[in-house]
Amino acid sequence: DAKTTQPNSMESNEEEPVHLPCNHSTISGTDYIHWYRQLPSQGPEYVIHGLTSNVNNRMASLAIAEDRKSSTLILHRATLRDAAVYYCILRGVGGTSYGKLTFGQGTILTVHP
Amino acid sequence: DTGVSQDPRHKITKRGQNVTFRCDPISEHNRLYWYRQTLGQGPEFLTYFQNEAQLEKSRLLSDRFSAERPKGSFSTLEIQRTEQGDSAMYLCASSSLQPLKGYTFGSGTRLTVV
């Protein structure tokens, strides 16, 4: 599986934007970039995914570099409920792959009131 | 749609005992996954079912571990002769066959082996 690199931790203040970076220099052409987050004492939760173009949904935005070797998850206005571990995952769907999710250690996001 | 349910939420067992966990996926999801998560680490893949067929098992799944998904609905994960190193959160997830759809995870079963 292609590997992703994320900072161990980041901090933000409530109601400010948060940009969570992810490097994936060995990404292949068929790999989608997925983001999940895990709140304390819960299972991971799907946030967003993309291939080449930037994506927006009700939870977040995903900005993908033109060369696809990095991406950024953007939380437009952080709330205390956004404090979680955020995982950036490459998910292959080509050939016989069923798109297994392989988690790294993620980024621990702390949001200050 | 009530999401993915896991039972029990917590389990404390003595070393050497057998334990079984249950996962009820979202009803229309064909795929079911088991993961294990220890403190401070991301979830690690254990095994994957498509309908009732177990299609992949991780090296992490020793002979003491067995998973089933009879009739392609709920799944069970059994650990025999538990060891202290088995203490972890066991997470179940399900997804549809559409490759880009996200996984839906349950809240997990926390196992403590004493």
Side-chain angles (χ1 to χ4, degrees):
Chain A
D1 293 331
K3 189 174 170 58
T4 64
T5 304
Q6 300 178 252
N8 289 335
S9 62
M10 292 187 65
E11 297 187 18
S12 174
N13 294 319
E14 204 174 5
E15 298 194 4
E16 289 184 355
V18 180
H19 290 232
L20 297 164
C22 180
N23 287 319
H24 28 79
S25 58
T26 60
I27 191 170
S28 76
T30 57
D31 285 339
Y32 282 75
I33 302 157
H34 282 243
W35 284 81
Y36 281 73
R37 72 179 186 181
Q38 188 171 22
L39 281 68
S41 301
Q42 295 190 27
E45 171 188 31
Y46 167 82
V47 177
I48 199 167
H49 77 271
L51 181 64
T52 56
S53 303
N54 295 344
V55 184
N56 300 299
N57 67 20
R58 64 174 179 80
M59 290 180 71
S61 295
L62 176 60
I64 301 172
E66 201 168 325
D67 64 5
R68 299 210 326 126
K69 293 186 176 181
S70 65
S71 61
T72 303
L73 180 71
I74 303 165
L75 307 179
H76 294 285
R77 289 183 65 198
T79 70
L80 296 178
R81 288 175 296 179
D82 291 323
V85 180
Y86 286 79
Y87 297 99
C88 170
I89 302 167
L90 300 183
R91 189 177 182 195
V93 293
T96 58
S97 168
Y98 60 85
K100 181 173 70 179
L101 293 180
T102 301
F103 289 82
Q105 291 197 303
T107 296
I108 300 171
L109 175 65
T110 301
V111 180
H112 298 289
Chain B
D1 179 0
T2 57
V4 176
S5 299
Q6 292 190 246
D7 183 68
R9 289 296 308 275
H10 303 274
K11 177 72 176 179
I12 300 174
T13 190
K14 292 184 179 179
R15 191 174 48 192
Q17 297 293 305
N18 299 342
V19 293
T20 300
F21 310 140
R22 177 179 170 122
C23 171
D24 286 273
I26 291 173
S27 57
E28 60 265 30
H29 282 178
N30 302 90
R31 291 177 167 162
L32 185 146
Y33 316 83
W34 284 98
Y35 282 76
R36 181 173 70 186
Q37 186 174 27
T38 53
L39 201 61
Q41 303 297 315
E44 297 173 295
F45 171 79
L46 292 179
T47 190
Y48 150 66
F49 290 85
Q50 183 161 310
N51 300 315
E52 65 274 12
Q54 189 174 18
L55 298 185
E56 185 175 346
K57 291 169 63 172
S58 164
R59 299 191 289 276
L60 296 173
L61 217 62
S62 76
D63 291 345
R64 297 184 297 105
F65 288 70
S66 63
E68 294 183 341
R69 193 184 182 197
K71 303 178 184 177
S73 57
F74 72 92
S75 176
T76 58
L77 178 69
E78 180 183 17
I79 309 174
Q80 296 183 328
R81 305 181 303 282
T82 52
E83 302 172 356
Q84 286 190 318
D86 297 331
S87 295
M89 175 75 83
Y90 290 84
L91 292 161
C92 175
S94 68
S95 73
S96 71
L97 285 175
Q98 295 182 49
L100 295 181
K101 288 292 185 181
Y103 287 20
T104 302
F105 280 84
S107 295
T109 294
R110 179 163 298 284
L111 173 66
T112 302
V113 181
V114 297

